[in-house]
Amino acid sequence: MPDSRENSFSTEMTEDERYLFDLNGFIIVRNVLTAEEVAQANSIIDKHEQEMVERKETALRNAVKGTKMYGEGPGRKDLGGVLEWGEDSKIFKKILAHPRLVPLFHGILGKGYRMDHLPFVIAQDKGAEGFQLHGGTIDCTSGAYNPELAYTCYNGFIRSALLGCNVMLTDHDPGFGGFCVVPGSHKSNFKMPKGMVDGERYSEYIRQPATKAGDVVLFSEGTVHGAMPWTQETQRRVCLYRFSPATNVYGRSYFTENGRWPEKMYEDLNDAQRAVLEPPYANRLDRPEIQEDSASVVISSRSARKKQHDQDIFGTKYF
């Protein structure tokens, strides 16, 4: 069903949004999904709940036992395949080029942005472990530079090499747990003090943003982040996507035997959504760029003569 709110969405990232993202390294986008869409998404997840895989083994744990991030013992649950469920995937595919999000994707990643990781649902039952702090433009543990995650801003242009997109499917009120972040850490030049990644020290600088079901949290992977143990009876649910600029790449799931994502992901996509599944390459090499309507695309290209020249000398129009 078309979203009646679409005409009221901004077609560019606003100055307020640019400031808040540059200041904090993340931004909360309110009410991206309606209450009806949240209910639909959760109903679909219910159908696949038995497919969730709990991280029971020590090797799969995301937090160190005995630390504040560990919780009471149960492991986090993960559910893949959200873009491969046929008709049921439409609500999840909508995020790829959602009209409320496209202006921010363009503002943070640039035109021609692409999906970099396979999206999946994260679920936590009461007491389930969180995730120790990780990431950072400067790695929070080693202090090494992370070019594949890095945040930059030059001459007024924001770029994040990898952008997390948390679609909240349950309320996350203060103290509930779940996604947490160290605001401003995308600009840090030093690794974290010992014990902070586990929440054992300086926890006052670790923030759990309060969000409602339907909100979206966009965060640079250059911003140190993690998750708190879940404290509520209601199962925590978020769907996590990661996006990159046109020429950046971290994951490799797009590069299967036929050079594409899993085939079921391409079903029932509009042109804009399909453009987000393109592999990494420069815009001027015939990359589809999503337009202001968040549905149509225009191909960014070089001149036909230059492409013919490359065909003549290389045997292909793409050098």
Side-chain angles (χ1 to χ4, degrees), residues 284-286 301-319:
R284 64 194 290 260
L285 300 180
D286 294 343
S301 186
R302 301 174 297 148
S303 70
R305 182 65 188 93
K306 287 185 177 180
K307 286 190 281 189
Q308 183 58 53
H309 178 71
D310 286 342
Q311 182 72 47
D312 292 341
I313 63 173
F314 297 125
T316 172
K317 63 181 179 178
Y318 301 118
F319 51 83

Side-chain angles (χ1 to χ4, degrees), residues 153-166:
C153 185
Y154 293 115
N155 198 29
F157 288 92
I158 289 172
R159 285 295 176 268
S160 184
L162 190 62
L163 182 74
C165 174
N166 254 337

